[in-house]
C-alpha cells in the first residue's frame, strides 16, 4: 500500500464492524489494513488533492496526537498501560543500585552482582505491581505469562551485562556509574516487554500482528546484543589465526582464500588490533547477507515473509554466529546470499543486467571460500530444467558474468600458480586422500545445530513437501519452487556425497540453507498451513525463539562476566576464556629470557596453530609478536601457514620458548634432536577471578638446528661427553 492514510476507501461492511471499538481518529483505513494483514487484497486508484479554496481544515494538534497515540497502540503496546509499567520499572531502581553496590563491596564479581541485584529488583516489582496485574487469569494463561515475563527479565539481564562490561572493561568507567546506564538499557527491554506480555491488545489486530511485533522486537534485540558483545569475548583460536593472515597480507593462503584476511586488515586498520576490530567485518557481512535475503524473500513471496527472514537471519545459530565470529564463512554467507538474489532476478524475473551481479558476487565469494562453487552446477541445472531459462545458453550475459567472476578470483589463481597449486591441493586431493570415514550422521547432526531442530524440520518441509512452497497463484510459482529446491539440494547433495567417505565440518552446510530460508519464513507467517509436520513446526517456533534468545545472551554473559556458580572449562579452544592472561604471562617469560641472553627469543606453540595464533594476538606488542611467534613445524609437525611464514633455515641458532598444554608435547624426540640444550619443563597456571582455568607448560631450547643430527651421531656425542 502506497497511501495508508488515504481519506477515501471502500471495504466490506463486515470488516468495518470488526474494527476495535476503542479505535479513534479519522485514519481508520490504517486499522483495516492492520486487521486484514496478508489476507486482505488491496487495489489503489490514484486521486488528486488540491489546495483548500475556502473554509478551514479540521486538522488540529489534538487530531495529530490522537493519530500518534493510535499508531503506538497498533504495535500492540497500549499507551494507557505504558505509564503504569514505566512506574513499575522505576520502583526497582533504588533497590537495584543499592544491592549492586553492596555486593561489590562484599567482593562479589561484576557479573554476579549485576544478576543478583536485577533479580532482587525484579522480585520487588513483581510483588508490588506485576502480580496484581495477573489477578483473575486462568491457571494456564497465568503460567504462560509468568514464563514470558521471566524470558523478558533474562533478556534484560544479559543485555545490561553487555552494557556494564563495555563501559567498565573498554571505556574504563567505574562500576557504580556504569550500572546506571546498564539499568537504563535493561528498562528499554523490560518496559515494552512486560507491557506487551500483559496486554492482549496485540491479538486484536489480525492473526499475524502479534507475531510481527515479536519478530521485529526479537530481531532488534539480538542485533543490539551482538553489537554490544562484539568486542568483549576473547577471540577463538581460528579468529586469531586469521588475524595472523592479515598481518602477513597476501593474495592467497594455504587453507583459505584471502577475503577474511582483507576484511580483518580493514577492521583493525580502523578500530585497532582489538576483538572489535577483528570481528566488525563479520557484522558487516551479516548486514549484506540479510539485505540480500530480505530482497530475495520479498521477490519470491511477500513483505511479511521478508520480515520473517530477517528474524531467521538473527535467530538461527549459523547465521547468528556468522555475523559475530570473523571466519571465512562470514563473507561467504554474504556473497552466497548475493548470488542467490541476482540469480533469482536473472533466471526467474528474466532480467539480463542481473548477471553482472551474479558475476561480481560469485567472484567475491570465491575469494572467501571455494564451496560457493557448488552454486554453479545448480544454476546450470535450473537452466536445463526450466524451459523459459534455456535461452540464456545462447545469450552472452552468463558467459560475461563467468569471466567477471574469474577476473575477480584471479589473485588466488596467481598465488596458487606461484606456490605449486598448494591451496587447491589442500582443499581437494589432500582431503580426498584422508583415511575413509563415514560421517553422514555428523552432517545430519550439523543441520540440527546450525538451524535448530525446528529450523531443520521447517526447511525439510519446505524442500520435500508436495505442497508448492511458493505463495499465492502467481504464474511463476512453479519456477520459484524449482529455484528454491535446486539451489538448496544441489549443494546439499555435494556434501552428502562427500560425507559418505570423508569427515565433514560443522559449518560447511550453513550457507546452502539460504536458498530455503524464504520458504521457511513464508511457512512462519502463513497461519494454518495444512499438514501435521507444518503445524508442529509452527507450534515450536515460539519456544525455539525464546530458547535461542536466552542461550545467546547467557553464552555472551558467561564468556565476559561469568555466571553465578558456573566455572570455566579448560577447553580454551572452544571456550575462549584465559587467552589474555596466557599472552601476558608468556610475554613476561619472554622478556625475562631476553634480558638473560641479550636477544629476543622465538615463541613456539607446540600444537597445530592455536597456541601460536593466540599468543601472537594477545602479546602486548602486536607488531613484534607476529614476527616472533612460530609453530610446531620447526619440529616436524604441521602448522599450516606458519610453515611458509617461518621457513627453517633463517631460524638457525635461535633460542626458543616452547609452550604446550601437556608436558609430553615438550619431550618429543624431534625436539631433542634439533636443539643444543633444553631447560627443565616448568608449569604455569591460568586463572580467572581466583579460579584455575588451565595449566600450561614451557621450557627453553637453545641453539635451534633446522637440520637435525642423525640419531647415531647424537648417541656418539653423548658417549664422548660422558
Amino acid at each position: 500500500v502506497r497511501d495508508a492514510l488515504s481519506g477515501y476507501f471502500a471495504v466490506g461492511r463486515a470488516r468495518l464492524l470488526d474494527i476495535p471499538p476503542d479505535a479513534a481518529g479519522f485514519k481508520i483505513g490504517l486499522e483495516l489494513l492492520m486487521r486484514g494483514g496478508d489476507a486482505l487484497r488491496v487495489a489503489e486508484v490514484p486521486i488528486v488533492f488540491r489546495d483548500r479554496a475556502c473554509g478551514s481544515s479540521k486538522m488540529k494538534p489534538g487530531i495529530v496526537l490522537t493519530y500518534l497515540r493510535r499508531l503506538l497502540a497498533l504495535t500492540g503496546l497500549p499507551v494507557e498501560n505504558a505509564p503504569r509499567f514505566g512506574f513499575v520499572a522505576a520502583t526497582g531502581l533504588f533497590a537495584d543500585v543499592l544491592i549492586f553496590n553492596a555486593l561489590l563491596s562484599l567482593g562479589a564479581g561484576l557479573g554476579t552482582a549485576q544478576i543478583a541485584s536485577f533479580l532482587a529488583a525484579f522480585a520487588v516489582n513483581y510483588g508490588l505491581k506485576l502480580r496484581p496485574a495477573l489477578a483473575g487469569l486462568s491457571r494456564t494463561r497465568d503460567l504462560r505469562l509468568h514464563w514470558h515475563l521471566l524470558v523478558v527479565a533474562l533478556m534484560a539481564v544479559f543485555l545490561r551485562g553487555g552494557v556494564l562490561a563495555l563501559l567498565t572493561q573498554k571505556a574504563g568507567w567505574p562500576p557504580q556509574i556504569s550500572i546506571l546506564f546498564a539499568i537504563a538499557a535493561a528498562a528499554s527491554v523490560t518496559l515494552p516487554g512486560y507491557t506487551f506480555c500483559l496486554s492482549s491488545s496485540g491479538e486484536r489486530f489480525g492473526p499475524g500482528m502479534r507475531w510481527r511485533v515479536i519478530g521485529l522486537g526479537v530481531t532488534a534485540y539480538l542485533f543490539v546484543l551482538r553489537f554490544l558483545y562484539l568486542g568483549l569475548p576473547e577471540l577463538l583460536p581460528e579468529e586469531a589465526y586469521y588475524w595472523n593472515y592479515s598481518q602477513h597480507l597476501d593474495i592467497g593462503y594455504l587453507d583459505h582464500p584471502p577475503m577474511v584476511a582483507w576484511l580483518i586488515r580493514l577492521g583493525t586498520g580502523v578500530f585497532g588490533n582489538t576483538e572489535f576490530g577483528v570481528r566488525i567485518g563479520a557484522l558487516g557481512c551479516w548486514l549484506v547477507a540479510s539485505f540480500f535475503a530480505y530482497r530475495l524473500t520479498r521477490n519470491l513471496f511477500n513483505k511479511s515473509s521478508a520480515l520473517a527472514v530477517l528474524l531467521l537471519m538473527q535467530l538461527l545459530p549459523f547465521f547468528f554466529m556468522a555475523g559475530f565470529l570473523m571466519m571465512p564463512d562470514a563473507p561467504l554467507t554474504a556473497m552466497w546470499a548475493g548470488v542467490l538474489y541476482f540469480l533469482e532476478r536473472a533466471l526467474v524475473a528474466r532480467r539480463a543486467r542481473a548477471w553482472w551481479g551474479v558475476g561480481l558476487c560469485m567472484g567475491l565469494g570465491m575469494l572467501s571460500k571455494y564451496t560457493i562453487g557448488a552454486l554453479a552446477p545448480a544454476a546450470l541445472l535450473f537452466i536445463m530444467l526450466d524451459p523459459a531459462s534455456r535461452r540464456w545458453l545462447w545469450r552472452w550475459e552468463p558467459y560475461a558474468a563467468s569471466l567477471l567472476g574469474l577476473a575477480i578470483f584471479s589473485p588466488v589463481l596467481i598465488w596458487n600458480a606461484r606456490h605449486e597449486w598448494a591451496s587447491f591441493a589442500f582443499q581437494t586431493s589432500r582431503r580426498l586422500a584422508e583415511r575413509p570415514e563415514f560421517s553422514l550422521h555428523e552432517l545430519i547432526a550439523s543441520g540440527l545445530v546450525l538451524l535448530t531442530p525446528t529450523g531443520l524440520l521447517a526447511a525439510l518441509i519446505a524442500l520435500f513437501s508436495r505442497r508448492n512452497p511458493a505463495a499465492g497463484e502467481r504464474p511463476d510459482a512453479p519456477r520459484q519452487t524449482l529455484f528454491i529446491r535446486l539451489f538448496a539440494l544441489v549443494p546439499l547433495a555435494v556434501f552428502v556425497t562427500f560425507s559418505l567417505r570423508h569427515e565433514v565440518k560443522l559449518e560447511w552446510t550453513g550457507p546452502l540453507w539460504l536458498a530455503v530460508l524464504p520458504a521457511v519464513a513464508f511457512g512462519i507467517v502463513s497461519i494454518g498451513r495444512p499438514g501435521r509436520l507444518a503445524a508442529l513446526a509452527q507450534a515450536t517456533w515460539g519456544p525455539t525463539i525464546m530458547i535461542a534468545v536466552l542461550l545467546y545472551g547467557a553464552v555472551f554473559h558467561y564468556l565476559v562476566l561469568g555466571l553465578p556458580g558456573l566455572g570455566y572449562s579448560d577447553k580454551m579452544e572452544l571456550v575462549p576464556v584465559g587467552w589474555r592472561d596466557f599472552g601476558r604471562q608468556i610475554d613476561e617469560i619472554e622478556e625475562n629470557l631476553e634480558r638473560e641472553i641479550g636477544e629476543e627469543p622465538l615463541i613456539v606453540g607446540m600444537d597445530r596453530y592455536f597456541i601460536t595464533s593466540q599468543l601472537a594476538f594477545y602479546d602486548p606488542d602486536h607488531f613484534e609478536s607476529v614476527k616472533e611467534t612460530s609453530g610446531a613445524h620447526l619440529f616436524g609437525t604441521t602448522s599450516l601457514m606458519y610453515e611458509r611464514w617461518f621457513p627453517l633455515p633463517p631460524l638457525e641458532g635461535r633460542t626458543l620458548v616452547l609452550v604446550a598444554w601437556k608436558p609430553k608435547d615438550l619431550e618429543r624426540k624431534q625436539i631433542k634432536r634439533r636443539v643444543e640444550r633444553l631447560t627443565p619443563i616448568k608449569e604455569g597456571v591460568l586463572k580467572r577471578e581466583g579460579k584455575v582455568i588451565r595449566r600450561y607448560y614451557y621450557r627453553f631450547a637453545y641453539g635451534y638446528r633446522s637440520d637435525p643430527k642423525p640419531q647415531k651421531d647424537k648417541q656418539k656425542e653423548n658417549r664422548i661427553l660422558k
Side-chain angles (χ1 to χ4, degrees):
V1 177
R2 294 179 181 273
D3 184 7
L5 305 180
S6 173
Y8 297 90
F9 56 88
V11 69
R13 181 174 183 271
R15 289 192 180 274
L16 282 172
L17 295 176
D18 202 30
I19 294 176
D22 58 345
F26 294 95
K27 303 303 180 185
I28 60 171
L30 187 60
E31 305 272 350
L32 292 167
L33 293 170
M34 297 296 287
R35 288 287 298 172
D38 294 330
L40 185 65
R41 292 186 296 175
V42 181
E44 293 182 281
V45 180
I47 60 175
V48 177
F49 271 16
R50 294 186 174 87
D51 291 340
R52 178 182 295 275
C54 60
S56 61
S57 173
K58 60 181 178 293
M59 183 63 69
K60 307 295 183 184
I63 292 177
V64 176
L65 292 176
T66 299
Y67 165 71
L68 294 176
R69 185 183 181 89
R70 192 60 194 163
L71 199 62
L72 287 175
L74 289 176
T75 68
L77 304 176
V79 179
E80 62 271 13
N81 288 340
R84 178 162 62 94
F85 290 109
F87 178 74
V88 169
T91 55
L93 176 61
F94 178 76
D96 199 341
V97 174
L98 182 65
I99 295 173
F100 176 79
N101 286 287
L103 290 173
L104 282 185
S105 64
L106 294 174
L110 199 62
T112 301
Q114 82 96 8
I115 291 177
S117 65
F118 177 88
L119 293 180
F122 173 78
V124 172
N125 288 332
Y126 176 82
L128 294 177
K129 300 293 181 182
L130 296 179
R131 185 57 189 166
L134 300 175
L137 297 178
S138 65
R139 179 174 177 80
T140 301
R141 191 178 178 200
D142 184 66
L143 290 175
R144 186 171 67 251
L145 278 177
H146 275 84
W147 165 242
H148 291 168
L149 290 172
L150 178 61
V151 169
V152 172
L154 292 176
M155 289 170 63
V157 165
F158 299 139
L159 183 73
R160 83 179 207 159
V163 174
L164 187 63
L166 189 65
L167 294 178
T168 55
Q169 296 181 9
K170 298 300 181 181
W173 289 19
Q176 294 78 7
I177 300 298
S178 302
I179 190 62
L180 299 177
F181 291 88
I183 291 173
S188 68
V189 176
T190 55
L191 179 59
Y194 293 161
T195 304
F196 186 76
C197 289
L198 295 172
S199 170
S200 61
S201 63
E203 300 172 351
R204 298 180 301 175
F205 299 103
M209 178 59 202
R210 192 171 184 84
W211 179 89
R212 287 189 187 94
V213 175
I214 294 173
L216 290 173
V218 170
T219 300
Y221 171 82
L222 287 178
F223 182 82
V224 174
L225 181 79
R226 182 165 45 183
F227 184 79
L228 285 174
Y229 281 98
L230 196 65
L232 294 174
E234 298 172 6
L235 297 183
L236 285 174
E238 291 89 345
E239 293 179 285
Y241 176 58
Y242 298 131
W243 173 81
N244 278 270
Y245 267 25
S246 72
Q247 301 303 300
H248 299 89
L249 208 59
D250 206 342
I251 58 174
Y253 300 93
L254 173 67
D255 39 342
H256 284 294
M259 181 62 75
V260 63
W262 297 350
L263 290 175
I264 292 176
R265 188 60 174 264
L266 178 62
T268 54
V270 176
F271 298 103
N273 287 306
T274 62
E275 290 87 352
F276 186 87
V278 171
R279 291 183 176 134
I280 187 62
L283 185 61
C285 290
W286 180 88
L287 291 172
V288 173
S290 298
F291 170 78
F292 283 126
Y294 176 87
R295 295 295 300 272
L296 174 66
T297 307
R298 189 164 184 177
N299 291 337
L300 292 174
F301 296 100
N302 50 44
K303 187 176 181 179
S304 293
S305 300
L307 293 174
V309 92
L310 290 180
L311 173 62
L312 294 176
M313 291 292 291
Q314 286 278 21
L315 185 73
L316 300 181
F318 173 80
F319 300 104
F320 183 85
M321 298 313 298
F324 186 85
L325 301 176
M326 192 61 244
M327 306 283 195
D329 298 282
L332 171 70
T333 303
M335 292 303 101
W336 197 297
V339 171
L340 290 177
Y341 167 74
F342 286 112
L343 279 173
E344 187 277 333
R345 293 289 82 192
L347 298 176
V348 179
R350 304 182 182 92
R351 296 184 181 178
R353 287 190 294 181
W355 284 106
W356 295 110
V358 173
L360 175 64
C361 292
M362 197 69 178
L364 294 175
M366 289 294 289
L367 287 177
S368 304
K369 207 172 182 180
Y370 301 140
T371 49
I372 199 173
L375 290 177
L380 180 60
L381 189 59
F382 183 92
I383 292 174
M384 299 300 294
L385 294 179
D386 179 43
S389 298
R390 291 174 193 158
R391 69 187 185 98
W392 293 116
L393 294 173
W394 318 111
R395 295 286 299 268
W396 61 272
E397 289 90 350
Y399 303 101
S402 301
L403 291 176
L404 175 61
L406 187 63
I408 296 173
F409 182 58
S410 60
V412 175
L413 297 175
I414 295 172
W415 187 92
N416 274 273
R418 292 175 178 174
H419 295 83
E420 301 176 349
W421 309 102
S423 180
F424 294 155
F426 182 88
Q427 298 291 355
T428 55
S429 59
R430 183 170 169 178
R431 291 193 184 278
L432 294 174
E434 294 175 350
R435 180 176 59 86
E437 179 180 351
F438 181 80
S439 60
L440 180 60
H441 58 292
E442 295 179 2
L443 188 71
I444 296 172
S446 72
L448 294 171
V449 174
L450 298 177
L451 298 182
T452 72
T454 300
L456 182 60
L457 175 62
L460 294 177
I461 291 172
L463 287 174
F464 298 109
S465 175
R466 293 182 179 180
R467 184 176 183 269
N468 193 326
E473 301 296 333
R474 298 192 223 173
D476 279 340
R479 302 178 69 236
Q480 293 170 340
T481 301
L482 180 66
F483 181 90
I484 291 171
R485 288 173 174 167
L486 281 182
F487 283 97
L489 292 177
V490 170
L492 182 60
V494 173
F495 292 116
V496 169
T497 303
F498 186 85
S499 70
L500 298 178
R501 287 185 58 81
H502 300 281
E503 182 184 6
V504 296
K505 291 187 177 181
L506 174 67
E507 74 280 2
W508 279 3
T509 62
L512 70 84
W513 300 109
L514 280 165
V516 75
L517 281 193
V520 173
F522 174 69
I524 293 176
V525 301
S526 299
I527 306 299
R529 292 184 69 192
R532 294 182 179 179
L533 289 178
L536 175 63
Q538 279 191 335
T540 54
W541 272 119
T544 299
I545 290 173
M546 288 187 285
I547 292 171
V549 169
L550 296 183
L551 181 62
Y552 297 146
V555 169
F556 284 156
H557 198 284
Y558 169 71
L559 293 176
V560 177
L561 294 175
L563 291 174
L566 189 61
Y568 290 103
S569 169
D570 63 350
K571 303 297 183 184
M572 291 167 56
E573 300 86 350
L574 301 175
V575 182
V577 174
W579 291 109
R580 291 192 187 102
D581 186 36
F582 193 27
R584 179 187 58 78
Q585 291 189 31
I586 296 300
D587 181 59
E588 292 178 0
I589 293 170
E590 176 196 9
E591 289 181 353
N592 292 333
L593 180 60
E594 183 178 357
R595 284 192 292 268
E596 175 188 329
I597 64 176
E599 64 178 13
E600 188 166 12
L602 185 68
I603 309 296
V604 180
M606 296 304 292
D607 62 356
R608 194 179 188 192
Y609 64 85
F610 287 1
I611 293 176
T612 303
S613 301
Q614 292 283 37
L615 289 179
F617 183 82
Y618 285 107
D619 187 287
D621 189 345
H622 291 293
F623 180 75
E624 290 297 329
S625 67
V626 171
K627 298 186 295 182
E628 300 298 335
T629 312
S630 186
H633 68 283
L634 275 64
F635 302 101
T637 60
T638 181
S639 55
L640 299 181
M641 279 303 300
Y642 289 100
E643 301 173 22
R644 299 176 182 273
W645 295 332
F646 293 88
L648 303 188
L651 304 178
E652 198 77 25
R654 290 290 299 272
T655 299
L656 314 177
V657 180
L658 310 182
V659 186
W661 296 126
K662 300 176 182 178
K664 66 178 183 179
D665 291 336
L666 301 177
E667 298 172 344
R668 302 175 190 168
K669 292 181 179 180
Q670 280 286 349
I671 297 176
K672 298 176 181 179
R673 295 177 60 194
R674 287 179 179 263
V675 300
E676 294 290 344
R677 181 167 63 92
L678 286 168
T679 62
I681 297 175
K682 297 182 180 180
E683 180 185 280
V685 180
L686 302 177
K687 296 182 179 181
R688 181 160 181 177
E689 296 181 356
K691 298 180 180 179
V692 175
I693 299 175
R694 191 168 189 174
R695 300 180 187 276
Y696 66 92
Y697 302 88
Y698 67 95
R699 70 191 309 183
F700 303 149
Y702 297 92
Y704 174 75
R705 288 190 294 262
S706 60
D707 184 16
K709 288 186 177 182
Q711 189 66 20
K712 291 183 179 180
D713 292 350
K714 187 70 175 177
Q715 292 173 354
K716 181 179 179 181
E717 179 182 327
N718 289 338
R719 285 197 299 271
I720 294 172
L721 290 174
K722 287 181 181 179

